[in-house]
Amino acid sequence: MKRHAALLLALLVFFAQTGIARAQQSSESRPGAATETLIRNATVLTVSHGTLRNTDILIRNGKIAAIGQNLRASPSARIIDATDKYVMPGIIDCHSHSMIDAVNEGTLSVTSMVRIRDVLNPTDVDLYRELAGGVTTLNVLHGSANAIGGQNMVVKIKYGRPIEEFIFPGAPPGIKFALGENPKRSNFPALPGQPRRYPATRMGVEETIRDAFTRARNYKAEWDEYRARLARGEKNLIPPRRDLQLEPLVEILEGKRLVHAHCYRADEILMLIRLADEFGFKVRTFQHVLEGYKVASEIARHGAGASTFADFWGYKIEAYDGIPYNAAIMVRHGVNVSVNSDSDERARRLNIEAAKMMKYGGLTEDEALKLITLNPAWQLGIDDRVGSIDVGKDADLAIWNGHPLSVYSRVEMTLIDGEVFFDRQQDLARRAELERERAQLEQAEPNRPPAQGPAPAVPRPRRTAYEYADDIWDGGDYDQ
Amino acid sequence: MIMKKLAANPIKLSVIVLAFAAAIGAQQLNRVVVERVKTGPQGLYAIKNARIVTVAGPVIERGTVVIRDGKIEAVGANVSIPAGAQEIDASGLTVYPGMIDAGTSLGLVEVPTGAPGTVDLSEIGDMNPNAQAIIAINPHSAHVGVTRFNGVTTVATLPRGGIIAGQAAIINLDGTTQWEMALVPAAALVIDFPRVGGGGRAEFAFMQAQQRQPDLTEAIRARDQQVERLRKLLRDAEAYARAQEAYARDNRNVPRPDRNVVLEALVPYVRGERPVIFRADREQEIRAVIRFAEEMKLKPIILGGNDAWKVASLLHEKNIPVILDGVLDLPMREDDPYDLLFENAAKLQKAGVRFCISTGDTGAHVRDLPYHAGMAAAFGLPKDEALKAVTLYPAQILGIADRVGSIEPGKIANLVVADGDLLEPRTNIRYLFINGKQIPLVSRHTELYDQFKDRP
């Protein structure tokens, strides 16, 4: 009996161990995830410590393990010859509405309870197109219809993987705020028979946010008191009723949730700074912030970042004072500045957007590159993981056939956590096969025009490069 | 009457304009007037020690461009500088012809959203051949200064909307009136060629989603009806022209036909004297335009052309040019290769199709023209061809290559002096000439920059 028990135990231990081994193996069997990758002989734009010529990057377990010359890798390592090529950190887009099936919960002006996490669609093909532009990380934001919008989600573009693998591990949670024309709905006439939504002025936008934080303060006090009494050992206490709208706002007050505030005019930027100072929280980023250059010192003093367009302007009244020198002026005033896309189209060429900032205001190459790498990483609280090429950071990299700040350059390869998610040569090699597949699908019975009944959908209208709205999505419809 | 008198005295006029601008507190107007005062006169200039990319011929590594009375007088490595010329030492700099965007609506829209008073883009109704862009172009738009600051000196301004949107104007980006700016006041007829499922977008996205899925047969019928209406109107214009001619020849026996401004506007186009710009993106639309233009004996230019690469051999055979304004658009179909529209220009160039590259923008972002061309160059279009795609080719397609588009003696002196490759985003424009006048490199944006850059 005892011997049997011992045998059973041994067997259990054995299975348990092989089980663990199997689990480890499965996590390591992905190409590039655990095996080593060596990028050889590249020009490395580290962003944090200058440009290194003829340099190798060794990637191990998805992290940058070494940077230097003549690095050695294990015999099984994948070797990428990057002679005459440029490697930069994967681009971080600090304002995206890619991969979401809904942008705005536009029925209330405070919707802090809704989550972008719930509407992420990992099969959005624009994600692949963004990878092909060297983008690896997105700040996926709720739209700007509401003074306090929904909760954001920071993702890595692991296109082709289940949604769980997109979630950026450890990225601090955030939330969208919005000021000006969009939350007051001035460009969106009310539907017939429906009253206009409050607020309708910039005064009302301020009051809406003030009211929400006043309620959040009360709510926090109720919980603080409850927890204090619990700690004192009081019995038979009834906890306060949970409020899913106010909980995220309490997290803001406690410094646990980052505020990304859509704004344009200088007056509304100052409004939010004063309100945040009064309630004792920080705005992490002002988004768009087209008139940030008029109040750059105030933004710097508050400690907020600014995430703006390079030169997109004039598409509505509050964008009419937008100037392409905005980023440079704010940089020179000590603001942490990023350049974002707010567009699946523009996201594919953020390198060009960054390069423009050398012309408009005279940023250096490194300063321009920071606008799309290290600075947005700080703005999202993930600069310990991504944004520069440093040992220990995630191997999120874009390999270019020329300097990425040149309009003539294009991406050859994009890696995330050391894995290749875009490879131009592979893409080109697969085109004939996809062409055949498309032809076959067109011939397939379900795709033939029906003899009767409703006809197939009419093709969608064209998707233009310049869409005159912020927080646009999927074909250029305004946020609602 | 008062204006006429004042116009004879430009100083008085500008004083009054300044006072007016100040009175309404419009700093922008004020600035534009100040800017005009600084614009140099047409005169005698020599840009020397420059690298000269003439576009018409080989690059001159070190040479001189002489400008006299608005025109290019001489260009070459061994050109002597005429006495009295104002000399510009362009050592280390490159002279290019000013860029041309053949597919904008610059001047017709200041702020597209929230300021309908500044939008003069689309007339009511489907058939507006008598809507002329030149009538409504605002010469004092902030877009003028912002656009030329980047080296774009000439644009075609197109009305949009309906089926016949109106007539496009070609303007140089300098002048105090739109007539001073005009290179060709009525340059082309603009037709948004009827397409299946085209037009009639719902105002709100969610309303659109609620709309009944259009029936394909119904959509095709609607398209065919629109094409038929267009055909009939053009035929009427032909008949109108014949009637007018007959009356002109014999006004005794032929009854006097009533004048009709709509049909009259169409006459030069149905006679093939001026080009017709057709908006068409998808393959079947482009093929339909080619058939229609042939049937109606029009002189077509395709605008858009996202699928033009699929029709390249036919476009080449029929010698029909394409204004590509979708280089930076997202591909139309989910399974399109990611770089399909980046590569479109390169494919057309290889097939020998006449093409040029445009932003297709209504004004604020026409300044991005060089980057549209640059992106095409990153994906296979040779660099010199990319430059031609925004200089000589649009000039040829618009029929103005005898006057602009390259640096050749006799052409209008629209010149850009840059400190690097014209298509690179980091390149700065150092000198700018339009109509042989030196244009100060200021804009609404530089003014705001100067106003705020040193604010503590």
Side-chain angles (χ1 to χ4, degrees):
Chain A
M1 197 56 203
K2 249 187 185 173
R3 271 175 63 188
H4 282 165
L7 189 64
L8 197 66
L9 191 70
L11 275 170
L12 273 172
V13 168
F14 173 76
F15 282 122
Q17 277 177 340
T18 50
I20 289 161
R22 231 181 250 139
Q24 275 175 347
Q25 207 177 18
S26 75
S27 80
E28 287 172 7
S29 63
R30 285 201 189 104
T35 53
E36 285 184 354
T37 301
L38 183 62
I39 301 173
R40 263 202 188 134
N41 200 27
T43 298
V44 179
L45 306 166
T46 66
V47 176
S48 57
H49 56 284
T51 300
L52 311 171
R53 311 253 166 220
N54 307 106
T55 295
D56 303 344
I57 301 172
L58 181 66
I59 301 166
R60 198 179 287 142
N61 298 323
K63 302 273 183 191
I64 297 168
I67 304 163
Q69 291 187 326
N70 305 315
L71 297 182
R72 279 190 201 161
S74 64
S76 63
R78 168 212 278 266
I79 307 293
I80 298 171
D81 180 18
T83 305
D84 298 328
K85 298 203 165 58
Y86 287 73
V87 184
M88 69 174 283
I91 293 171
I92 300 169
D93 186 354
C94 200
H95 192 128
S96 172
H97 302 289
S98 294
M99 74 183 294
I100 47 181
D101 292 334
V103 182
N104 275 301
E105 176 53 61
T107 49
L108 297 172
S109 50
V110 179
T111 57
S112 34
M113 58 287 192
V114 307
R115 302 179 300 187
I116 282 297
R117 170 71 181 86
D118 296 331
V119 290
L120 292 174
N121 169 13
T123 66
D124 181 353
V125 70
D126 286 342
L127 294 171
Y128 182 73
R129 293 165 176 162
E130 288 165 10
L131 281 169
V135 183
T136 53
T137 294
L138 304 175
N139 179 22
V140 186
L141 288 167
H142 185 272
S144 54
N146 312 337
I148 296 180
Q151 300 169 25
N152 74 329
M153 198 73 234
V154 180
V155 300
K156 290 197 181 197
I157 310 179
K158 296 205 172 179
Y159 188 66
R161 294 289 167 74
I163 193 66
E164 291 74 17
E165 295 190 33
F166 278 68
I167 310 305
F168 197 112
I175 191 166
K176 178 77 170 282
F177 281 19
L179 317 176
E181 290 180 19
N182 287 11
K184 74 197 190 86
R185 314 308 288 146
S186 47
N187 299 323
F188 308 90
L191 292 174
Q194 294 213 338
R196 293 215 57 166
R197 199 193 73 180
Y198 185 92
T201 68
R202 285 181 171 81
M203 298 181 286
V205 172
E206 193 263 7
E207 194 274 344
T208 300
I209 300 171
R210 173 179 298 280
D211 174 69
F213 275 102
T214 305
R215 288 186 286 124
R217 251 187 191 168
N218 290 343
Y219 179 67
K220 183 178 182 309
E222 279 178 42
W223 274 98
D224 287 348
E225 192 192 330
Y226 168 74
R227 290 198 185 99
R229 290 171 69 182
L230 209 61
R232 285 199 296 270
E234 290 186 32
K235 302 279 184 231
N236 301 324
L237 292 174
I238 299 170
R241 188 180 191 281
R242 272 189 76 189
D243 188 322
L244 298 184
Q245 187 190 49
L246 297 180
E247 265 180 19
L249 303 186
V250 171
E251 289 167 5
I252 294 170
L253 290 171
E254 291 170 342
K256 294 174 185 162
R257 184 173 286 280
L258 306 179
V259 174
H260 302 293
H262 159 120
C263 59
Y264 284 88
R265 270 176 26 186
D267 51 80
E268 66 201 19
I269 296 165
L270 294 183
M271 175 277 277
L272 190 61
I273 287 176
R274 292 167 76 104
L275 192 139
D277 286 346
E278 184 186 326
F279 280 89
F281 69 90
K282 292 282 178 204
V283 178
R284 184 63 160 205
T285 69
F286 286 101
Q287 295 283 332
H288 309 317
V289 60
L290 260 56
E291 291 188 15
Y293 67 94
K294 295 183 180 176
V295 288
S297 303
E298 286 86 344
I299 295 172
R301 275 200 293 276
H302 180 73
S307 188
T308 187
F309 294 126
D311 62 353
F312 191 48
W313 73 290
Y315 41 92
K316 53 176 166 174
I317 292 288
E318 64 186 356
Y320 195 58
D321 270 9
I323 61 172
Y325 304 93
N326 190 33
I329 293 179
M330 292 193 288
V331 167
R332 293 287 170 256
H333 281 75
V335 180
N336 176 303
V337 180
S338 68
V339 165
N340 68 49
S341 80
D342 189 16
S343 145
D344 291 7
E345 187 285 302
R346 207 178 293 117
R348 307 171 305 160
R349 51 185 173 89
L350 282 171
N351 62 313
I352 298 174
E353 300 302 280
K356 290 172 183 172
M357 302 297 89
M358 298 177 67
K359 183 223 296 274
Y360 297 113
L363 295 190
T364 64
E365 276 187 6
D366 270 347
E367 285 173 326
L369 286 171
K370 274 184 187 164
L371 299 174
I372 52 172
T373 54
L374 201 50
N375 290 0
W378 175 84
Q379 295 179 351
L380 298 171
I382 50 175
D383 49 322
D384 56 333
R385 294 283 300 266
V386 291
S388 63
I389 300 183
D390 282 293
V391 171
K393 280 201 171 180
D394 297 358
D396 293 5
L397 304 167
I399 305 176
W400 298 72
N401 70 342
H403 197 292
L405 294 174
S406 166
V407 75
Y408 298 118
S409 300
R410 58 165 192 254
V411 174
E412 291 292 320
M413 210 181 256
T414 306
L415 297 87
I416 300 176
D417 294 335
E419 289 183 69
V420 176
F421 280 88
F422 170 77
D423 180 340
R424 181 166 163 85
Q425 296 315 315
Q426 249 177 40
D427 182 290
L428 293 174
R430 283 182 58 219
R431 286 189 190 180
E433 182 196 324
L434 286 170
E435 212 38 55
R436 272 197 302 278
E437 194 182 323
R438 184 188 168 86
Q440 281 168 3
L441 284 168
E442 279 174 351
Q443 291 305 310
E445 190 55 39
N447 294 322
R448 288 196 193 146
Q452 52 188 8
V458 167
R460 294 155 56 89
R462 50 191 269 113
R463 309 172 70 184
T464 56
Y466 294 99
E467 307 186 87
Y468 290 97
D470 41 8
D471 293 348
I472 48 134
W473 65 288
D474 203 13
D477 299 311
Y478 296 158
D479 56 339
Q480 294 295 325
Chain B
M1 201 49 203
I2 293 167
M3 284 312 285
K4 235 184 212 170
K5 254 188 207 162
L6 284 172
N9 187 341
I11 295 169
K12 226 184 211 171
L13 175 66
S14 62
V15 166
I16 289 189
V17 171
L18 272 168
F20 176 69
I24 61 167
Q27 282 177 304
Q28 178 209 346
L29 269 179
N30 198 335
R31 262 183 229 120
V32 171
V33 173
V34 170
E35 201 174 304
R36 297 293 154 200
V37 173
K38 283 196 248 163
T39 300
Q42 280 187 346
L44 185 57
Y45 298 92
I47 305 168
K48 61 178 187 181
N49 301 324
R51 183 171 172 267
I52 305 165
V53 179
T54 66
V55 174
V59 173
I60 298 162
E61 284 307 331
R62 193 180 176 84
T64 304
V65 184
V66 179
I67 303 166
R68 193 194 292 268
D69 299 332
K71 298 277 173 63
I72 298 164
E73 186 177 72
V75 53
N78 301 306
V79 169
S80 53
I81 297 173
Q86 195 177 321
E87 295 182 25
I88 292 171
D89 184 5
S91 303
L93 305 177
T94 306
V95 190
Y96 293 93
M99 287 181 278
I100 302 169
D101 190 330
T104 79
S105 297
L106 194 146
L108 296 181
V109 181
E110 194 66 23
V111 181
T113 303
T118 69
V119 180
D120 294 286
L121 192 60
S122 305
E123 252 317 326
I124 303 294
D126 284 339
M127 303 293 182
N128 290 297
N130 44 343
Q132 293 191 49
I134 194 67
I135 301 296
I137 287 171
N138 174 11
H140 308 294
S141 164
H143 300 161
V144 172
V146 160
T147 303
R148 66 190 181 190
F149 183 87
N150 259 19
V152 180
T153 56
T154 305
V155 301
T157 294
L158 281 57
R160 317 256 171 176
I163 297 171
I164 299 183
Q167 297 184 59
I170 302 171
I171 53 171
N172 282 322
L173 295 183
D174 181 57
T176 46
T177 72
Q178 70 267 47
W179 303 103
E180 280 176 31
M181 299 170 89
L183 206 54
V184 188
L189 189 70
V190 181
I191 296 181
D192 198 351
F193 197 69
R195 68 181 66 89
V196 174
R201 296 198 65 192
E203 201 168 337
F204 296 97
F206 63 90
M207 282 168 99
Q208 193 173 31
Q210 282 166 1
Q211 273 179 350
R212 194 168 55 91
Q213 181 62 55
D215 183 285
L216 187 60
T217 29
E218 234 171 70
I220 290 171
R221 196 181 307 127
R223 190 263 323 262
D224 290 347
Q225 277 170 0
Q226 287 181 332
V227 173
E228 192 47 43
R229 279 174 61 204
L230 180 62
R231 181 180 285 119
K232 185 177 176 305
L233 188 65
L234 297 178
R235 291 251 157 87
D236 285 352
E238 282 169 15
Y240 177 82
R242 281 197 300 274
Q244 291 284 8
E245 272 175 0
Y247 178 71
R249 274 196 305 269
D250 180 4
N251 61 10
R252 285 202 191 161
N253 300 312
V254 177
R256 185 170 59 84
D258 285 343
R259 287 197 63 184
N260 178 318
V261 289
V262 173
L263 297 178
E264 203 157 276
L266 288 169
V267 170
Y269 301 101
V270 294
R271 286 180 169 170
E273 293 163 10
R274 292 188 211 151
V276 180
I277 295 176
F278 286 96
R279 154 68 63 190
D281 277 308
R282 294 198 292 258
E283 180 184 359
Q284 56 179 3
E285 295 160 20
I286 297 169
R287 291 188 188 279
V289 163
I290 296 171
R291 278 195 302 273
F292 184 82
E294 207 161 47
E295 177 200 337
M296 304 303 293
K297 299 188 178 63
L298 305 173
K299 200 172 146 193
I301 298 170
I302 305 285
L303 171 68
N306 282 355
D307 278 349
W309 60 278
K310 291 186 186 174
V311 198
S313 59
L314 186 63
L315 289 165
H316 173 66
E317 184 198 319
K318 304 279 184 191
N319 193 27
I320 295 173
V322 183
I323 302 169
L324 293 176
D325 72 354
V327 173
L328 295 184
D329 285 5
L330 283 166
M332 292 193 288
R333 303 166 193 85
E334 207 173 12
D335 62 331
D336 280 338
Y338 78 97
D339 57 357
L340 188 78
L341 296 177
F342 299 155
E343 281 188 346
N344 199 0
K347 287 176 180 165
L348 296 187
Q349 190 259 335
K350 280 194 196 94
V353 177
R354 293 167 62 205
F355 74 98
C356 67
I357 290 174
S358 161
T359 59
D361 190 67
T362 55
H365 308 103
V366 177
R367 66 172 168 199
D368 277 1
L369 181 63
Y371 322 131
H372 290 243
M375 188 62 101
F379 288 85
L381 187 66
K383 284 184 186 180
D384 58 334
E385 286 287 313
L387 181 63
K388 284 182 183 171
V390 290
T391 52
L392 190 56
Y393 292 163
Q396 289 169 345
I397 290 170
L398 293 171
I400 51 173
D402 56 329
R403 288 185 281 170
V404 290
S406 60
I407 305 180
E408 292 176 271
K411 284 197 176 182
I412 293 171
N414 286 355
L415 299 170
V416 178
V417 184
D419 67 1
D421 186 311
L422 190 60
L423 305 188
E424 284 284 15
R426 67 168 74 178
T427 296
N428 295 288
I429 308 296
R430 303 286 287 275
Y431 302 96
L432 178 66
F433 286 87
I434 299 178
N435 275 323
K437 294 182 200 168
Q438 194 178 349
I439 307 293
L441 289 164
V442 294
S443 71
R444 177 179 171 76
H445 292 178
T446 61
E447 301 275 351
L448 284 165
Y449 178 52
D450 290 339
Q451 193 180 340
F452 285 98
K453 68 174 195 272
D454 299 320
R455 178 183 174 270

